Amino acid sequence: MSPTSQSDAVVVSDLRKTFGDVVALDGLSLSAERGTVLGILGPNGAGKTTLIEILCTLSVPDSGNALVCGYDVVTQGPDVRERISMTGQYAALDETLTGAENLVFFGRMSGLRRATARERAKYLLDLFDMTGAAQRPVSTYSGGMRRRLDIACGLVAKPSVVFLDEPTTGLDPRSRQSVWELVESLKADGITTVLTTQYLDEADRLSDRIVVIDHGKVVAEGSPDDLKTRVGDTLCDVMLTDAADALRLAAVLTVHLDSACNVVARESTIRLTAIDGVDTMAEVIAAASRIGVGLRNIGLRTPSLDDVFLALTVPSTR
């Protein structure tokens, strides 16, 4: 591996991992700068969780290298584990203990003295606005509260890098918002966060940089805005009155519009890049009128990460 930048908390180079005939990681390389949020996007089976498990020393790659805080995840596992925290898709808490007791327990397991663990628990309960529920058993907590406490438990030992593997899966919108605020607070404290998610609005809001992976490979990376520009400056969404007309209109538009418009038909909608803005939209309306296709709605908009995701990934067969 080439020398790493002092500003990089995580560096992955040509990582490969297979499970039988399934290739989970296929020469994957990426990096995360210190004190930033790296969002990792990908469909089911893309290799996101496998990557996190390797970076957290829970799995060993077949080949390639990975450094976390400058330490090799294979040969220097204890050094890596001292500096990281991992929160998976499901809260790892003792439901018979209170919130405060869970935090103290994790602190003691991390080697903190009892008084230090209690002091750290009080600080985190205040920080995550959970003081009022501190003495309640976790079994009485909502899903959002459990997730917040789970993340807090990972911060007891003051990690340098936090790995969050789809932390808001199954949460309601209010609870998701709460977790988002926690991630933003980690960044404010200078902690590096590696976030895997399938919620594109989540990645868009939280990430400084995004890496899109598919079938174990990086297919795109950059800031959210950089990725959106790859889809096109402006998109035109067309909703048809009759879904049966979609392919017919798409075929006409493909012939008469610039090839850069990338016309795509899905059910009763057509999406294309409006390279000439309003003029492109006018051409779509005129073409539909000529062949007798009814339009229910048509409009222009800027690209979203949803568009990036659909453009860069393909359905997984795993």
Side-chain angles (χ1 to χ4, degrees):
M1 176 180 288
S2 60
T4 62
S5 167
Q6 291 295 319
S7 64
D8 289 331
V10 177
V11 179
V12 175
S13 179
D14 198 27
L15 215 57
R16 299 178 185 273
K17 180 71 175 180
T18 60
F19 297 96
D21 295 332
V22 176
V23 180
L25 299 178
D26 189 10
L28 186 143
S29 300
L30 56 80
S31 62
E33 189 174 348
R34 296 180 189 273
T36 65
V37 179
L38 175 67
I40 300 178
L41 291 179
N44 289 331
K48 302 186 299 297
T49 296
T50 299
L51 171 63
I52 297 300
E53 289 178 347
I54 289 174
L55 293 176
C56 292
T57 74
L58 299 176
S59 181
V60 178
D62 297 333
S63 63
N65 302 93
L67 301 180
V68 177
C69 297
Y71 295 95
D72 188 283
V73 298
V74 175
T75 62
Q76 298 172 298
D79 294 302
V80 171
R81 290 190 288 273
E82 284 182 8
R83 291 161 175 83
I84 67 170
S85 164
M86 176 186 178
T87 298
Q89 298 176 25
Y90 305 99
L93 302 169
D94 188 329
E95 296 195 355
T96 65
L97 300 180
T98 67
E101 289 169 341
N102 266 279
L103 286 167
V104 171
F105 171 76
F106 274 89
R108 295 287 285 159
M109 290 291 290
S110 299
L112 300 182
R113 294 180 179 273
R114 187 179 302 275
T116 304
R118 287 176 176 170
E119 180 181 351
R120 184 66 177 164
K122 182 179 183 303
Y123 168 78
L124 291 169
L125 289 166
D126 290 341
L127 178 66
F128 290 176
D129 194 25
M130 299 185 67
T131 302
Q135 303 307 320
R136 285 169 41 196
V138 170
S139 59
T140 67
Y141 283 17
S142 66
M145 291 177 64
R146 290 171 188 240
R147 178 58 69 209
R148 286 156 61 194
L149 181 62
D150 197 26
I151 295 174
C153 286
L155 301 177
V156 170
K158 298 182 179 180
S160 298
V161 180
V162 172
F163 295 95
L164 301 179
D165 188 16
E166 301 189 12
T168 60
T169 296
L171 298 185
D172 60 74
R174 187 179 299 276
S175 297
R176 287 182 65 208
Q177 178 74 29
S178 178
V179 173
W180 290 357
E181 292 171 355
L182 294 184
V183 174
E184 290 170 341
S185 72
L186 298 181
K187 180 179 176 181
D189 284 344
I191 295 173
T192 304
T193 303
V194 178
L195 168 74
T196 73
T197 179
Q198 293 189 62
Y199 295 118
L200 304 179
D201 56 339
E202 185 167 276
D204 198 359
R205 167 170 169 170
L206 298 176
S207 304
D208 296 294
R209 287 182 63 254
I210 291 174
V211 172
V212 183
I213 66 175
D214 194 20
H215 293 90
K217 297 180 179 180
V218 173
V219 295
E221 59 182 310
S223 71
D225 288 341
D226 289 340
L227 293 178
K228 291 173 191 176
T229 59
R230 298 193 184 192
V231 179
D233 292 332
T234 304
L235 295 178
C236 180
D237 287 332
V238 186
M239 300 183 66
L240 307 184
T241 303
D242 188 345
D245 291 328
L247 292 178
R248 185 160 62 98
L249 178 57
V252 171
L253 295 175
T254 300
V255 171
H256 289 90
L257 296 179
D258 190 296
S259 60
C261 287
N262 298 318
V263 180
V264 177
R266 287 191 177 91
E267 298 180 350
S268 62
T269 65
I270 293 176
R271 179 172 298 166
L272 63 146
T273 302
I275 59 176
D276 294 319
V278 174
D279 290 338
T280 299
M281 185 170 68
E283 291 185 60
V284 173
I285 295 172
S289 178
R290 284 197 306 271
I291 64 174
V293 171
L295 303 183
R296 185 154 54 94
N297 196 5
I298 185 170
L300 301 177
R301 63 176 177 82
T302 57
S304 68
L305 279 183
D306 295 69
D307 302 307
V308 174
F309 190 86
L310 292 172
L312 296 176
T313 63
V314 296
S316 175
T317 57
R318 294 177 193 166

